mmCIF file with all atom_site columns, all heavy atoms in Angstrom:
data_model
loop_
_atom_site.group_PDB
_atom_site.id
_atom_site.type_symbol
_atom_site.label_atom_id
_atom_site.label_alt_id
_atom_site.label_comp_id
_atom_site.label_asym_id
_atom_site.label_entity_id
_atom_site.label_seq_id
_atom_site.pdbx_PDB_ins_code
_atom_site.Cartn_x
_atom_site.Cartn_y
_atom_site.Cartn_z
_atom_site.occupancy
_atom_site.B_iso_or_equiv
_atom_site.pdbx_formal_charge
_atom_site.auth_seq_id
_atom_site.auth_comp_id
_atom_site.auth_asym_id
_atom_site.auth_atom_id
_atom_site.pdbx_PDB_model_num
ATOM 1  N N   . GLN A 1 105 ? 21.812  -30.382 -48.973 1.00 0.00 ? 133 GLN A N   1
ATOM 2  C CA  . GLN A 1 105 ? 20.462  -30.353 -48.425 1.00 0.00 ? 133 GLN A CA  1
ATOM 3  C C   . GLN A 1 105 ? 20.394  -29.161 -47.489 1.00 0.00 ? 133 GLN A C   1
ATOM 4  O O   . GLN A 1 105 ? 21.288  -28.979 -46.662 1.00 0.00 ? 133 GLN A O   1
ATOM 5  C CB  . GLN A 1 105 ? 20.187  -31.650 -47.646 1.00 0.00 ? 133 GLN A CB  1
ATOM 6  C CG  . GLN A 1 105 ? 18.789  -31.730 -47.062 1.00 0.00 ? 133 GLN A CG  1
ATOM 7  C CD  . GLN A 1 105 ? 18.624  -32.945 -46.141 1.00 0.00 ? 133 GLN A CD  1
ATOM 8  O OE1 . GLN A 1 105 ? 19.586  -33.393 -45.538 1.00 0.00 ? 133 GLN A OE1 1
ATOM 9  N NE2 . GLN A 1 105 ? 17.413  -33.460 -46.049 1.00 0.00 ? 133 GLN A NE2 1
ATOM 10 N N   . ASP A 1 125 ? 1.172   -52.568 -21.295 1.00 0.00 ? 153 ASP A N   1
ATOM 11 C CA  . ASP A 1 125 ? 0.680   -52.862 -19.946 1.00 0.00 ? 153 ASP A CA  1
ATOM 12 C C   . ASP A 1 125 ? 0.178   -51.610 -19.224 1.00 0.00 ? 153 ASP A C   1
ATOM 13 O O   . ASP A 1 125 ? -0.163  -51.662 -18.048 1.00 0.00 ? 153 ASP A O   1
ATOM 14 C CB  . ASP A 1 125 ? 1.775   -53.541 -19.118 1.00 0.00 ? 153 ASP A CB  1
ATOM 15 C CG  . ASP A 1 125 ? 2.956   -52.609 -18.848 1.00 0.00 ? 153 ASP A CG  1
ATOM 16 O OD1 . ASP A 1 125 ? 2.936   -51.449 -19.323 1.00 0.00 ? 153 ASP A OD1 1
ATOM 17 O OD2 . ASP A 1 125 ? 3.891   -53.032 -18.147 1.00 0.00 ? 153 ASP A OD2 1
ATOM 18 N N   . GLU A 1 140 ? 14.597  -30.160 -45.783 1.00 0.00 ? 168 GLU A N   1
ATOM 19 C CA  . GLU A 1 140 ? 13.798  -30.403 -46.987 1.00 0.00 ? 168 GLU A CA  1
ATOM 20 C C   . GLU A 1 140 ? 14.021  -31.830 -47.454 1.00 0.00 ? 168 GLU A C   1
ATOM 21 O O   . GLU A 1 140 ? 15.060  -32.427 -47.199 1.00 0.00 ? 168 GLU A O   1
ATOM 22 C CB  . GLU A 1 140 ? 14.227  -29.432 -48.093 1.00 0.00 ? 168 GLU A CB  1
ATOM 23 C CG  . GLU A 1 140 ? 15.705  -29.596 -48.448 1.00 0.00 ? 168 GLU A CG  1
ATOM 24 C CD  . GLU A 1 140 ? 16.173  -28.647 -49.533 1.00 0.00 ? 168 GLU A CD  1
ATOM 25 O OE1 . GLU A 1 140 ? 15.337  -28.219 -50.339 1.00 0.00 ? 168 GLU A OE1 1
ATOM 26 O OE2 . GLU A 1 140 ? 17.373  -28.364 -49.571 1.00 0.00 ? 168 GLU A OE2 1
ATOM 27 N N   . ASN A 1 291 ? 30.567  -39.525 -41.030 1.00 0.00 ? 319 ASN A N   1
ATOM 28 C CA  . ASN A 1 291 ? 30.491  -38.729 -39.812 1.00 0.00 ? 319 ASN A CA  1
ATOM 29 C C   . ASN A 1 291 ? 30.026  -37.329 -40.171 1.00 0.00 ? 319 ASN A C   1
ATOM 30 O O   . ASN A 1 291 ? 30.129  -36.894 -41.318 1.00 0.00 ? 319 ASN A O   1
ATOM 31 C CB  . ASN A 1 291 ? 31.850  -38.671 -39.129 1.00 0.00 ? 319 ASN A CB  1
ATOM 32 C CG  . ASN A 1 291 ? 32.179  -39.995 -38.465 1.00 0.00 ? 319 ASN A CG  1
ATOM 33 O OD1 . ASN A 1 291 ? 31.342  -40.562 -37.758 1.00 0.00 ? 319 ASN A OD1 1
ATOM 34 N ND2 . ASN A 1 291 ? 33.363  -40.499 -38.719 1.00 0.00 ? 319 ASN A ND2 1
ATOM 35 N N   . VAL A 1 439 ? -40.565 -56.569 -35.555 1.00 0.00 ? 467 VAL A N   1
ATOM 36 C CA  . VAL A 1 439 ? -42.007 -56.783 -35.523 1.00 0.00 ? 467 VAL A CA  1
ATOM 37 C C   . VAL A 1 439 ? -42.477 -56.406 -34.124 1.00 0.00 ? 467 VAL A C   1
ATOM 38 O O   . VAL A 1 439 ? -42.258 -57.130 -33.163 1.00 0.00 ? 467 VAL A O   1
ATOM 39 C CB  . VAL A 1 439 ? -42.358 -58.242 -35.843 1.00 0.00 ? 467 VAL A CB  1
ATOM 40 C CG1 . VAL A 1 439 ? -43.855 -58.452 -35.767 1.00 0.00 ? 467 VAL A CG1 1
ATOM 41 C CG2 . VAL A 1 439 ? -41.833 -58.629 -37.204 1.00 0.00 ? 467 VAL A CG2 1
ATOM 42 N N   . ALA A 1 489 ? -36.230 -60.584 -26.555 1.00 0.00 ? 517 ALA A N   1
ATOM 43 C CA  . ALA A 1 489 ? -36.601 -60.510 -25.140 1.00 0.00 ? 517 ALA A CA  1
ATOM 44 C C   . ALA A 1 489 ? -38.126 -60.493 -24.995 1.00 0.00 ? 517 ALA A C   1
ATOM 45 O O   . ALA A 1 489 ? -38.710 -61.157 -24.140 1.00 0.00 ? 517 ALA A O   1
ATOM 46 C CB  . ALA A 1 489 ? -35.979 -59.277 -24.498 1.00 0.00 ? 517 ALA A CB  1
#
Side-chain angles (χ1 to χ4, degrees):
Q133 181 188 29
D153 66 359
E168 60 180 334
N319 286 313
V467 178

